[in-house]
Amino acid sequence: MAQVVVGYVQQDIVFGAKEANRLMYEREIALAKSADLLVLPELALTGYDIPDLEALARLSEPFGEGPTSTWLVESAAKYNTTLVCGYSESAGEKFYNSAMVALPSGELHNYRKIHLYSREKDLFAHGEERPLVCETPAGKVGVMICFDWFFPEVARCLAIDGADIIAHPANLVLPWCQDAMFARSIENRVYTITANRIGKESQAGRTLTFTGRSQVMSTRGVRLSEAPTDQPHTGLAKIELDEASNKRINAHNDLFEDRKPGQYASISGKETFPAS
Ligand code: ACM
């Protein structure tokens, strides 16, 4: 049985204060000594409600080259853990709401959020690549970001591509995700780690309230760790990776072998019904 310790860091985030936020996460990472994998929230260092393109340009950085990449790579090695962290990515003329995965070996991967929520559409381009699954010392980790949860196709693709664990950096404002992740976990038999934030952001007459309740959900839909709605919390849970790799439901059913993709043409766009 491959046992690993996984978890999340839930905090309030000070808008625009990248260095102060970074130091706060570094403290939590240093304290979570047993963690093999730690997930930080979406846009973890910048804050969420970026008011305009000028602020976006100032707060964003390129994948693999900016200070957030350097800090993540160094911290993953220093604390011998895999880190997943949401950040604002600049790439040429475009910006993405992205998450990096940093391994203790120095390897660094990137995922660009596919499903943009509300005003994010005014700022970011959506990701166009295959959802990311990478091999890490904590198992095969797939990544989706916040509102991607609303589209079960993402979690399904990650599971089919071999993810044992879905790392889910989030800045949730709708009330349903934490409960919906029950379904994402059991229907794919994967562990899910939702790293949400707490607190409020007020910009231009609008206020967003973030809903906390970060969690580690087991492959059987059991919450192995749950944070409060409005307090900082770093939560850890010990998990068995074999529970995610075995997709047998009973003697007759297998989660993946029993799928009928040819009859899912309305999703895949590939009609494979037999001719009548
Ligand atoms: C969200 O996708 N941050 C709601």
Side-chain angles (χ1 to χ4, degrees):
M1 280 287 210
Q3 223 178 44
V4 293
V5 175
V6 301
Y8 55 81
V9 180
Q10 170 174 300
Q11 287 283 332
D12 200 350
I13 297 166
V14 182
F15 185 85
K18 284 174 75 171
E19 181 61 9
N21 292 325
R22 187 185 67 73
L23 291 171
M24 169 269 288
Y25 289 118
E26 173 108 24
R27 264 196 317 274
E28 295 301 313
I29 295 166
L31 287 171
K33 286 190 185 10
S34 61
D36 299 297
L37 169 69
L38 269 182
V39 185
L40 312 186
E42 177 183 20
L43 297 170
L45 286 101
T46 55
Y48 179 72
D49 194 14
I50 299 173
D52 51 39
L53 288 170
E54 197 235 307
L56 184 65
R58 185 163 33 82
L59 292 169
S60 300
E61 45 189 286
F63 168 66
E65 291 170 30
T68 303
S69 306
T70 305
W71 167 65
L72 281 171
V73 168
E74 286 175 4
S75 300
K78 180 172 173 188
Y79 299 107
N80 192 28
T81 190
T82 294
L83 296 169
V84 180
C85 178
Y87 77 111
S88 180
E89 179 191 356
S90 56
E93 300 290 293
K94 290 188 178 176
F95 299 94
Y96 296 93
N97 181 341
S98 300
M100 283 185 256
V101 183
L103 275 61
S105 63
E107 235 179 272
L108 189 66
H109 301 270
N110 200 36
Y111 167 70
R112 294 172 169 166
K113 185 177 186 178
I114 296 172
H115 301 97
L116 300 173
Y117 180 71
S118 190
R119 279 194 64 256
E120 289 174 38
K121 289 189 167 186
D122 298 337
L123 300 170
F124 298 110
H126 71 85
E128 294 188 85
E129 291 107 18
R130 190 181 181 112
L132 173 72
V133 177
C134 44
E135 192 89 56
T136 81
K140 283 194 179 170
V141 176
V143 182
M144 63 185 199
I145 300 178
C146 205
F147 193 50
D148 281 332
W149 76 267
F150 223 109
F151 302 84
E153 294 88 344
V154 181
R156 182 62 115 200
C157 289
L158 293 172
I160 289 172
D161 282 349
D164 304 307
I165 303 167
I166 294 180
H168 182 211
N171 274 194
L172 293 162
V173 291
L174 298 175
W176 307 299
C177 173
Q178 294 89 337
D179 296 326
M181 293 309 286
F182 173 86
R184 298 296 94 76
S185 291
I186 61 162
E187 71 202 3
N188 294 299
R189 193 161 294 170
V190 292
Y191 292 94
T192 59
I193 307 169
T194 298
N196 195 17
R197 61 164 290 185
I198 56 168
K200 289 181 192 294
E201 279 185 14
S202 295
Q203 305 267 12
R206 57 179 179 263
T207 297
L208 296 175
T209 302
F210 302 99
T211 59
R213 290 181 63 211
S214 296
Q215 62 187 16
V216 178
M217 180 79 76
S218 80
T219 61
R220 313 292 156 140
V222 175
R223 282 195 180 90
L224 303 176
S225 171
E226 183 179 17
T229 52
D230 57 359
Q231 298 296 317
H233 185 73
T234 296
L236 300 178
K238 206 175 273 184
I239 65 169
E240 305 277 355
L241 292 176
D242 295 354
E243 294 221 351
S245 47
N246 177 5
K247 303 297 185 189
R248 290 230 58 95
I249 299 167
N250 56 40
H252 300 278
N253 296 106
D254 183 282
L255 188 54
F256 286 170
E257 285 170 13
D258 285 4
R259 295 176 63 250
K260 306 288 181 223
Q263 283 161 275
Y264 309 152
S266 44
I267 292 177
S268 67
K270 292 184 197 135
E271 189 88 45
T272 56
F273 294 118
S276 55

